[in-house]
Amino acid sequence: MLKENLFFQSEEDTDFMPIIPINENDGELDKNLEVPDILPILPLRNTVLFPGVVLPITVGRDKSIKAVNDAYKSDKLIGVLAQKDANIEEPNPADLCSIGTVARIVKLIKMPDGGTTIIIQGKKRFELGQITTDDPYFKAYVRMLADDIVPDTENFAVYISTIKDLAAQIIQLSPNLPTEASIILKNIENPSFLINFVSSNLNSELAEKQNLLEIQDINLRAEKLIHILQKELQFAELKDKVANKTRTEIDKQQRDYFLQQQLKSIKDELGGDTNEREIAEMKKKAETKKWPESAKNLFKSGIEKLERMHPSTQDYSVVYNHLDLMLDLPWEEYTADNYDLKNAKKVLDADHYGMSKIKSRILEYLAVLKLKGDMRSPILCFLGPPGIGKTSLGRSIAHAIGRKYVRVSLGGLHDESEIRGHRKTYIGAMPGRILQNIRKCKSSNPVMILDEIDKIGSDFRGDPSSALLEVLDPEQNHSFYDNYLEQEYDLSKVLFIATANNLQNIQPALRDRLEIIDLSGYAVEEKVEIAKRHLLPKQKEAHGLAKVNFRVNDKVLEKIIEQYTRESGVRELDRQLASIMRYEAKEYAMKNKVKPTITAQDVEKILGQSRYSNEIYKTANMPGVTVGLAWTYVGGDILFIETILSEGKGELKLTGNLGNVMKESATTALSYVQANARKLGVDPEMFGKKNIHIHVPEGAVPKDGPSAGITMLTSLTSAFTGRKVKPFLAMTGEITLRGQVLPVGGIKEKILAAKRAGLKEIILCAQNEKDVKEIDSSFIRGLVFHYVKTMQQVIDIALV
């Protein structure tokens, strides 16, 4: 690239800009120049002088100053040679190049600091001969080389034109070179001088310049110069591209800075920077926080980081949101518990009918809290069928003890981060649902309902139920760690209440941390009371009938419950009452009056014919048909078990979508009947001549469990003996091959299902008698219980 510095340089420096002679044809006059055989020699570092080129040189070495002064006083001619190694301070003859240029000292200037500056012009090329002396400076014989003969050929003209074009392009791409330099280049007419001038200004290694000087043939010299210029042009283009790109980036930064300064000035005029005000408000708010030392240090480091950041940076909002969460969390802020046990009992009774076991447990917790003053909250789990008020009971508990209430729905949750939070560096990161709800309710000791804890999912994204282990462990939750908060938070004062329909779906480790409280379904009497106290007033209010007087008596409510619903809870009952209220609202809107009492006939008119009937148990009285009791996650239910015999080879067929355990119960029952055939009054030869088919209706519904064991045995015995099963009789219990009857679970739900279905007698294992005694006697009035220990007792009671 052409040189870009116009200052005078010493002979020790590289960068210079040659002065163009006033008359470029001085070379023609130099043909007659007489050069002595012996010349003083001036070594130059990093510089090659070409014929015709004028250079300003600052001479610094003592020998060089002496040589220049002596030459200037005589004929002003001096031999200029380039040093091979610029680092040598005192060169020997071997350190000098062999080809140099005879120069005329045009001007010698004494500088104030004692230095000497000379302006020299190259005249002719010479070859160094024998050194005659080196003291006080080098003198040597010189042999003049022939002058350049410019060929008059088309090729050489193209060379010259190419050199001018390439040099002009390089000047154009070099921002520090004046554009006049390209005009000067175009106006140089002497080809030899043009080559020398451009060669002198190359930004190349000294060896390359010296090589150009040593080439005798001007054609070859021009060709070599073109190659070097092409390489320099490529470098200049690349440099210009990089410079432009950098300049664009710097311009954008300068523009952004300028706009930011303007924005700052505007904000100052409006009363200060919004971000500074926000940070100041955060600091002020932090002073009132009662947080632990670790949280205080975390906030302090975060606010210092925020002050150093520019609001437009990406991480500013991340840090800001994290600090905002820390300020919003109620660190060690608690609501005062209401220790009035009588008032708490009154509130619980007013909100929910029945549920004495749960109410008693809550009152016990409050009593201990009142006496001790501090107690880790228990982790309760309300287990029961849908629609019995598990979730709403949590709200009532919060109301009774004077705490805030929050509900976390866990149904379908499949990401562990929903509990523990995401790391704050992720896009869209947020704290887990536990801390989100703590933040929302502004209290560190709320009643938190973990709804549907048995319906948590689990997949490749994680297992949220495992994350809940820390939350629901009283020994660990005082230091619950949230990934977003990056700080431990105390959850030990939170009263966690989980709700579930099916205990089997809860992970064993999680189940171990829960205090399970069973909520069984409601009896008809309880549903009547719930409808009168809660459902009817709610539906009247919802349908604009609060001020309209009409009654729904107990008999009508019983009819709705028994003939239009089959459930453990009261959701379906609530929907049926809503249908009646809509009808009454329509009547009142059209006629401006309603009947004072809703009768059974009105119910049939509004809701249609009865959906469920107890007549089926009267018509099903034939040998081989028995009524069993089942438990499902929606409560108790009744099921028929039918057995029929046909001619065959004694094969057993089971249908009705039965599970493995239920199939094994059927096989066990058949084995017992076969082993005790004569005792039961069955001909043993029948087992080889009859095929047995056991069917459980409602084949689309999967069925499993051991509790239908005595029902299947009774059905088989009835079919083989031809004796009918006693009408309106149901039974449940597991059997063994020895003929013993074992206890089963879900007794209350099963008994209530039998009562709803209109059954009158129930056979149970003797060990289940304690479960029956826990049921309110008013709910099972009219039912007769038979407690048995062996299968023989079952057969004696069941078959007529």
Side-chain angles (χ1 to χ4, degrees), residues 38-238:
I38 298 175
L39 278 178
I41 302 298
L42 176 65
L44 294 183
R45 288 193 282 192
N46 298 323
T47 305
V48 177
L49 178 66
F50 286 82
V53 176
V54 177
L55 285 180
I57 300 291
T58 299
V59 184
R61 290 186 284 210
D62 292 339
K63 283 187 175 183
S64 299
I65 293 172
K66 180 70 174 167
V68 166
N69 286 332
D70 289 353
Y72 192 68
K73 289 175 184 176
S74 59
D75 57 5
K76 299 185 179 180
L77 294 180
I78 192 168
V80 177
L81 286 171
Q83 282 183 210
K84 294 177 182 177
D85 186 354
N87 295 319
I88 298 174
E89 186 64 31
E90 296 293 336
N92 294 318
D95 298 322
L96 303 177
C97 294
S98 60
I99 304 293
T101 304
V102 175
R104 179 184 292 279
I105 302 173
V106 179
K107 187 74 175 175
L108 186 145
I109 305 167
K110 297 286 185 180
M111 305 302 288
D113 60 358
T116 301
T117 296
I118 59 173
I119 298 174
I120 57 175
Q121 181 181 18
K123 292 298 182 180
K124 290 187 176 183
R125 294 183 307 125
F126 72 87
E127 184 177 3
L128 183 67
Q130 183 181 353
I131 301 290
T132 60
T133 181
D134 59 359
D135 187 31
Y137 48 82
F138 290 118
K139 282 188 177 181
Y141 285 101
V142 294
R143 184 175 69 83
M144 304 308 298
L145 298 177
D147 292 331
D148 295 331
I149 299 172
V150 179
D152 187 16
T153 63
E154 190 174 338
N155 279 351
F156 186 74
V158 171
Y159 283 161
I160 296 302
S161 175
T162 303
I163 290 170
K164 285 185 178 183
D165 290 342
L166 289 172
Q169 289 180 57
I170 293 170
I171 291 168
Q172 191 71 29
L173 292 171
S174 303
N176 294 330
L177 279 178
T179 51
E180 291 82 358
S182 61
I183 298 172
I184 293 169
L185 275 174
K186 287 180 181 177
N187 289 313
I188 295 176
E189 296 178 356
N190 188 325
S192 178
F193 175 70
L194 176 69
I195 292 171
N196 290 337
F197 177 72
V198 173
S199 298
S200 181
N201 284 278
L202 287 174
N203 188 22
S204 301
E205 297 290 333
L206 182 137
E208 270 191 328
K209 290 185 178 182
Q210 183 66 29
N211 187 29
L212 283 169
L213 182 68
E214 293 176 1
I215 295 174
Q216 180 64 36
D217 188 343
I218 195 170
N219 269 301
L220 295 177
R221 199 185 312 157
E223 189 176 336
K224 176 72 174 176
L225 179 59
I226 287 170
H227 289 157
I228 296 172
L229 285 174
Q230 285 174 336
K231 186 171 69 175
E232 292 296 321
L233 178 60
Q234 290 176 358
F235 179 78
E237 287 173 342
L238 182 61

Side-chain angles (χ1 to χ4, degrees), residues 348 358-367 380 397 401:
L348 291 172
I358 291 182
K359 293 175 183 176
S360 176
R361 180 66 183 86
I362 297 302
L363 292 174
E364 288 169 5
Y365 165 69
L366 280 176
L380 304 178
I397 292 170
I401 63 179

Side-chain angles (χ1 to χ4, degrees), residues 646-652 686-692:
S646 59
E647 296 297 328
K649 298 179 181 179
E651 294 177 357
L652 173 64
M686 288 182 69
F687 297 112
K689 300 176 180 178
K690 300 287 185 179
N691 285 341
I692 306 150

Side-chain angles (χ1 to χ4, degrees), residues 275-293:
N275 298 302
E276 290 177 2
R277 289 204 307 272
E278 286 177 344
I279 292 172
E281 287 171 8
M282 278 184 160
K283 287 181 176 178
K284 187 176 179 181
K285 196 174 177 183
E287 292 173 2
T288 63
K289 281 285 174 184
K290 298 182 294 183
W291 43 24
E293 194 63 29

Side-chain angles (χ1 to χ4, degrees), residues 2 84 327 383 395 430 484 557 575 627 640 686 733 775:
L2 294 181
K84 294 177 182 177
L327 289 171
L383 179 68
R395 187 185 291 107
M430 61 179 69
Y484 184 86
L557 288 173
R575 284 190 283 267
V627 178
F640 287 100
M686 288 182 69
I775 306 172

Side-chain angles (χ1 to χ4, degrees), residues 590-604:
M590 294 177 68
K591 302 176 182 177
N592 206 26
K593 64 177 183 176
V594 293
K595 292 171 66 175
T597 305
I598 294 178
T599 64
Q601 291 75 19
D602 295 329
V603 171
E604 290 187 4

